[in-house]
Amino acid sequence: MRRIIVISMITLDGVLQAAGGPKEDSSGGFRYGGWSAPYSDEVLGRVMQEQMKPADLLLGRRTFEIFASFWPKHADSWPGINDVTKCVVSRTMKKSDWKNSVFLRNVADIRKLRNSKGADIQVWGSSKLIQLLLKNDLVDELRLQIHPLTLGKGKKLFDVGTRPAAFALTESFATPSGVIIANYRRAGEVTTGTIGS
């Protein structure tokens, strides 16, 4: 079975919308596009290089369209991006000129992909897709870059439909600019108890 790994830049209040730039996603009147840029530093750059090693991708339609319009012409900044398989979850999109693009329709298709042979699968951006994966217990790891700001509004990592699930912290540290790198792996069901007993 392949692991599905969600990689996300988020704010303290869980916003992931348009982290990379002002024109990335202004839907819903979002006006803080590019909010992650002021926190770039050498350490975060190394984290990004590690996360951008070639891996198959699982993307929502909107993120795929953003990637497909940018990365084919800028592949020197993400080596291998044009060669990996890009799996797109969409009910409306059926083809793309970006090579190695595969189209999935539903959760059953995602489960089939996850149960196939191959390397791990990374999810970037794709807030609605991430929420669908969380709702259906299809996230094996979360690799979060938690930025020290709140935005109040915007698409969020965790939203309506997230199922109760336990995760174990596998790595954490802070960058000089204050971004917390926190990696988690799925760790069974939620357990409860009473503090101090």
Side-chain angles (χ1 to χ4, degrees):
M1 184 173 78
R2 306 170 77 179
R3 294 180 303 165
I4 295 179
I5 301 169
V6 170
I7 297 174
S8 190
M9 293 176 269
I10 62 170
T11 63
L12 291 172
D13 56 342
V15 173
L16 55 71
Q17 185 170 353
K23 296 180 181 178
E24 191 173 285
D25 179 4
S26 60
S27 63
F30 189 73
R31 57 191 183 102
Y32 296 107
W35 53 263
S36 71
Y39 300 96
S40 293
D41 59 35
E42 187 177 317
V43 174
L44 192 56
R46 286 196 300 269
V47 170
M48 290 297 294
Q49 284 181 339
E50 181 65 27
Q51 291 177 340
M52 293 170 80
K53 285 184 177 175
D56 288 348
L57 302 178
L58 177 61
L59 304 169
R61 181 193 53 80
R62 186 174 186 86
T63 299
F64 175 80
E65 289 175 339
I66 293 168
F67 277 29
S69 69
F70 181 81
W71 286 114
K73 300 171 195 156
H74 300 89
D76 54 330
S77 297
W78 191 343
I81 186 66
N82 289 327
D83 300 318
V84 301
T85 301
K86 280 78 67 177
C87 300
V88 188
V89 181
S90 174
R91 292 187 188 117
T92 57
M93 184 178 270
K94 297 180 181 173
K95 64 179 184 172
S96 172
D97 292 334
W98 197 11
K99 72 177 182 176
N100 300 325
S101 297
V102 176
F103 295 87
L104 310 178
R105 300 284 170 232
N106 51 39
V107 172
D109 289 346
I110 298 170
R111 286 188 197 283
K112 186 175 178 181
L113 173 68
R114 185 179 182 224
N115 289 324
S116 66
K117 293 189 179 197
D120 293 338
I121 304 159
Q122 294 182 348
V123 181
W124 290 76
S126 308
S127 61
K128 287 184 182 177
L129 173 60
I130 292 170
Q131 290 161 15
L132 179 70
L133 295 171
L134 289 167
K135 181 180 179 180
N136 288 279
D137 198 20
L138 291 169
V139 174
D140 298 292
E141 289 186 27
L142 294 164
R143 295 184 183 169
L144 306 179
Q145 299 174 18
I146 306 165
H147 291 66
L149 76 159
T150 58
L151 296 177
K153 295 183 179 180
K155 296 175 183 175
K156 300 207 173 182
L157 178 66
F158 301 105
D159 209 348
V160 178
T162 298
R163 67 171 273 156
F167 287 84
L169 183 67
T170 59
E171 181 180 22
S172 66
F173 59 92
T175 69
S177 62
V179 177
I180 297 171
I181 307 301
N183 297 340
Y184 298 90
R185 66 173 165 72
R186 185 73 169 82
E189 301 304 313
V190 173
T191 58
T192 63
T194 302
I195 293 175
S197 63

